[in-house]
Amino acid sequence: MTLRRSLLLAGLVLGVLALYFATRPPGVVTVLADSGTGIPAVTESDQRFRYEIITNELEHPWGMALLPDGNILVTERPGRLRMIRKGKLDPAPISGLPDIIEMGQGGLLDIILHPGYEQNGWIYFTYAGGSRWQAGTHVARARLQGHGLVDLQILFAMQRLTGRGQHFGSRLVFDREGYLYFTIGDRGEMDRAQDPRDHAGSVIRLHDDGSIPADNPYHRNPALLPEIFSYGHRNPQGMTRHPETGEIWLHEHGPQGGDELNRVAAGRNYGWPVITYGVNYGTGTRIGEGTHKAGMEQPVHYWVPSIAPSGMSFYQGQRFAGWNGDLLVGALKFQQLVRLHMDGPRVTAETRYLGGELGRIRDVRQGPDGTIYLLTDAADGKLVRLDGLAK
């Protein structure tokens, strides 16, 4: 075979593969090539789950908090806080929220309980605050009394608001020492993520009362914002604490390709938009300077193509055999639950479940009995409890 015919044949094969990947139904991912992070393959499992749809009457739910009494608080992005009471959605929203701006991807977002909730009753939540024309990520806390919030305190208000409607970030996590971490996206103005004088594109670390810890990396530098813990993030919408090491892990949306999983460390620069494994939408052209640069962190794992990751949680339990210690990630784009098989800090394999079955998975939380709770992002969003794998 001549060189010319070989090249023509290779081009035909590549063209057929490109057509297949461009036209396959959303969520159908049988086998994908290595993403570049050392994992041999990504597979979609046909394993079935036992699950219960608790409600499908939530409007774009974003976050949830499982209360000690078995009830569940759920945020709706348009600005409502709902209660799942004894397994049923209470028709009346909870009162007492601050003014919330629904702007694009912004609104009422994440929610968590204080580690000492049973003693102090504090509930923390993130939301878009500001005005109808300009908004940014805010953090507040309050206590639940009857069917309303009381003792409301605004702990953090983002500086330099913008009218852009994207990249609010907004996950919340407490570490083992009781410090509060939360994420802020670049707000659609990507160069802001490289400036530690700007909240955009950062992870913020505070005491539980909103004060700034003296050991934050920029606390002694008057030119920088002392509440910033790390920067160079694009849009982190998933964050959790490692159950063994106590480290804070997060993932963030890349552009076209390049979603990242990172471990958060004090004062580190995670590169956006100088380095990324993604490319510009539409044109496919390179963003920044490439994929590596001295002084900028490499991800633990990244996804090409993007999965649009959202909430995530390390699984700690026995109800799902063999999953203990693995990382569960919600995927909006392919409407999947993604399981990253973990060996210490390394991702060794990736399995995807529920492709297209439930919808865009926005949040993932584990219940105290080892069940898994999912929220789906839709006008008729669902709260789903996975009870185990079907035999």
Side-chain angles (χ1 to χ4, degrees):
M1 184 180 292
T2 66
L3 177 61
R4 181 179 178 185
R5 290 182 63 190
S6 297
L7 291 173
L8 287 171
L9 181 59
L12 179 62
V13 171
L14 289 172
V16 171
L17 288 173
L19 179 63
Y20 165 71
F21 282 105
T23 59
R24 63 185 175 174
V28 177
V29 184
T30 51
V31 178
L32 299 179
D34 171 44
S35 67
T37 56
I39 297 176
V42 177
T43 59
E44 179 171 328
S45 173
D46 59 2
Q47 176 70 61
R48 307 295 297 173
F49 290 93
R50 300 190 308 269
Y51 66 78
E52 173 191 5
I53 297 176
I54 297 172
T55 182
N56 60 359
E57 299 180 59
L58 296 163
E59 185 177 0
H60 295 288
W62 214 94
M64 57 181 146
L66 280 61
L67 299 172
D69 63 5
N71 293 329
I72 303 172
L73 290 169
V74 180
T75 61
E76 292 179 309
R77 196 183 68 222
R80 291 180 296 273
L81 181 59
R82 310 298 298 276
M83 176 74 83
I84 309 296
R85 201 182 299 276
K86 296 182 179 179
K88 302 292 184 181
L89 176 64
D90 191 317
I94 290 171
S95 63
L97 290 169
D99 291 336
I100 293 170
I101 309 302
E102 186 184 8
M103 175 187 286
Q105 298 170 1
L108 182 57
L109 301 170
D110 203 17
I111 186 167
I112 62 170
L113 305 181
H114 189 283
Y117 174 80
E118 293 190 78
Q119 289 74 46
N120 61 38
W122 285 119
I123 297 166
Y124 292 72
F125 54 93
T126 57
Y127 63 99
S131 72
R132 227 170 38 170
W133 300 275
Q134 290 191 318
T137 303
H138 288 44
V139 178
R141 71 176 182 178
R143 294 184 172 99
L144 183 64
Q145 186 177 95
H147 206 70
L149 297 179
V150 298
D151 302 329
L152 177 70
Q153 299 176 5
I154 310 302
L155 303 183
F156 173 88
M158 183 182 180
Q159 296 178 14
R160 195 178 160 195
L161 306 181
T162 176
R164 289 180 176 263
Q166 64 264 47
H167 300 182
F168 288 83
S170 220
R171 287 295 174 190
L172 290 152
V173 170
F174 277 100
D175 71 7
R176 286 176 175 170
E177 288 71 45
Y179 292 106
L180 176 66
Y181 295 74
F182 55 93
T183 64
I184 303 177
D186 69 7
R187 298 296 284 107
E189 298 168 336
M190 61 185 185
D191 290 337
R192 293 176 63 182
Q194 280 299 307
D195 185 356
R197 298 166 300 178
D198 191 326
H199 289 138
S202 69
V203 173
I204 304 295
R205 179 182 185 244
L206 301 175
H207 288 297
D208 64 352
D209 63 357
S211 60
I212 301 171
D215 60 347
N216 271 9
Y218 307 122
H219 193 275
R220 299 187 181 185
N221 188 334
L224 306 180
L225 292 177
E227 55 269 33
I228 289 179
F229 192 74
S230 64
Y231 65 104
H233 301 284
R234 184 173 183 268
N235 190 28
Q237 290 191 337
M239 188 165 61
T240 191
R241 188 179 74 205
H242 194 284
E244 295 179 0
T245 67
E247 292 175 304
I248 303 300
W249 289 52
L250 64 74
H251 64 58
E252 51 192 288
H253 289 262
Q256 186 172 312
D259 300 336
E260 293 185 3
L261 174 67
N262 288 300
R263 290 184 290 173
V264 181
R268 300 292 176 86
N269 181 350
Y270 289 81
W272 175 256
V274 178
I275 60 172
T276 177
Y277 287 89
V279 295
N280 280 302
Y281 290 106
T283 63
T285 53
R286 189 175 77 173
I287 297 171
E289 301 177 16
T291 59
H292 293 68
K293 186 171 184 177
M296 296 184 177
E297 300 300 304
Q298 282 293 300
V300 174
H301 179 65
Y302 61 89
W303 288 272
V304 176
S306 292
I307 64 168
S310 194
M312 71 174 181
S313 180
F314 282 99
Y315 185 74
Q316 292 288 289
Q318 304 304 320
R319 191 177 290 261
F320 294 83
W323 288 28
N324 197 48
D326 289 346
L327 188 57
L328 305 181
V329 180
L332 297 166
K333 182 177 179 182
F334 295 125
Q335 303 182 14
Q336 294 169 321
L337 177 65
V338 176
R339 173 186 166 205
L340 298 179
H341 304 242
M342 304 299 299
D343 180 11
R346 295 190 311 112
V347 179
T348 59
E350 180 174 334
T351 306
R352 302 182 182 184
Y353 305 86
L354 295 168
E357 186 169 345
L358 295 175
R360 290 159 45 88
I361 295 177
R362 170 62 73 183
D363 199 11
V364 182
R365 305 284 170 114
Q366 181 183 328
D369 59 354
T371 55
I372 297 167
Y373 290 82
L374 308 176
L375 288 176
T376 66
D377 179 27
D380 54 353
K382 304 177 185 73
L383 173 63
V384 181
R385 181 173 56 231
L386 305 183
D387 190 42
L389 293 169
K391 296 181 180 179

